[in-house]
Amino acid sequence: MRGLGVRWTVHGDGRVPAPGAVVRPDERLSWPRTAGLGAQHVVAMFGASFVAPVLMGLDPNLAIMMSGLATMVFLLATRGRVPSYLGCSLSFVGVAAVIRGQGGSSATVTGAILVVGAVLFLVGLAVQKFGARIIHAVMPPVVTGAVVMLIGFNLAPVTASTYWPQDQWTALLTMLLTGLVVVCLRGFWSRIAIFLGLVAGYLMSWAFDTVFGRIHSPDAGGKTVDHWRLDLSAVGKADWFGLPSVHAPEFSWSPVLVALPVVIALVAENAGHVKAVGEMTGDPLDDKLGTAISADGAGSVLSTAFGGPATTTYSENIGVMAATRVYSTAAYWAAACFALLFGLCPKFGAVVAAIPGGVLGGITVILYGMIGLLGAQIWINNGVDMRNPLNLVPVAAGIIIGIGGVDLKFTDNFELGGIALGTLVVLTGYHALKALAPPHLKAQEPLLDEGTSGYDEGEQPS
């Protein structure tokens, strides 16, 4: 069992880490304290993990449950060496909006994401065999940053046209409160700012309904009517215990092509996570990068096969580990078990599904912008020179195409646009121009992505 990473030795007296020491992944505190740490991890991942399915139109109960199962798969695959929680990925929110805008259903959305998960699994196998540099040969930082930026900024119209108009003043106040939490609070509290902003907006909407009555604005369907900001009618009808609704995925070429660019963002997320955890625990995890990527892909395939969203490693939980100095994978097993229990409570799902549109408007203004700006951070951290036309031209063209919603129609039934076309332009444009560019423009080799700069030619695949 120790070979599967599910046996732990007790650290010290089992109460707190010794002065200056950390609780390593193969250690644990007492089981009550481990359960408490697991609950903290659930709270940390909770905000983004239940926002993601709501924004994608998927069942939040199923999403939370599948995140727990995916985490268990990840921990077993990495044999307990990479402490991580696999929460619901926000990288697919824009993809889901595009697919639904083209008339796609929830089954179409999950089918497209399942294919991405399968591709991510294969990428992980390739990294295990050939090493991490295969990633950087195909996706240097200039490309990775541009794609992450596309994924975030492509979501702006969703906020502007769908959520914000439902209750502009609640959206504005929720945005301001969330921003204050992010900036003014410290440590763990700032890391759950999205969750705190949602709770505040939820209570604000209830108070406004009590004081001002119904609001005359577009509802969730886009029709301007008188409606309550917070409608809890479904909560009273929901059971306390029951299985979440599931559905089989459906596959279609156009949605799959829209979703495929997200693979680049997921690879970057996993690489950064593995490197960060390795540095924090003092255990270099270079040999586990490919395994972690494959495990993430397998978790996404498992979730979407039943109608849930994709999963990904969560930086929010790194914050919990940094604050507590406890890196025990036992705490993540506890968190995964708590997630399974939440998934079996339909009343919880009804409360989540009742989040007012105005609240989502205020949250997504910050959230989508932060996702997009992570792309710029990748450029900065890796010294990408935008004065070099080899970098500037493909990125400029791809971003305008992606954010502006430019379409390229091939037939009556097949076209590329938005994120998919923008990514294709950046990726193929960069490599084509690099092959044709004069030597002085490509003299500086692309640096490695942040979080993977420790990988070198001598690494051994796992």
Side-chain angles (χ1 to χ4, degrees), residues 39-51 177-183 185-200 314-320 363 367 370:
Q40 285 190 63
H41 282 298
V42 170
V43 172
M45 69 85 182
F46 205 66
S49 274
F50 77 66
V51 170
L177 285 171
T178 304
L180 284 172
V181 171
V182 172
V183 174
L185 297 187
R186 295 185 178 183
F188 173 73
W189 295 107
S190 69
R191 293 185 179 278
I192 60 168
I194 299 298
F195 176 74
L196 296 177
L198 282 169
V199 171
Y314 258 34
S315 60
E316 288 89 339
N317 296 96
I318 289 183
V320 175
I363 291 294
L367 192 61
M370 289 171 65

Side-chain angles (χ1 to χ4, degrees), residues 58-59 61-77 85-88 92 110-121 244-249 251 266 293-312 333 336 340:
L58 302 176
D59 184 348
N61 273 61
L62 179 63
I64 296 297
M65 175 183 285
M66 297 312 297
S67 76
L69 289 175
T71 298
M72 293 178 179
V73 169
F74 184 92
L75 294 172
L76 289 173
Y85 193 91
L86 263 60
C88 305
F92 290 94
T110 51
I113 298 173
L114 188 151
V115 173
V116 174
V119 171
L120 185 65
F121 177 81
S245 58
V246 299
H247 66 258
F251 303 98
L266 296 179
I293 293 173
S294 288
D296 188 6
S300 292
V301 170
L302 173 65
S303 177
T304 51
F306 291 92
T311 59
T312 190
W333 277 98
L340 290 178

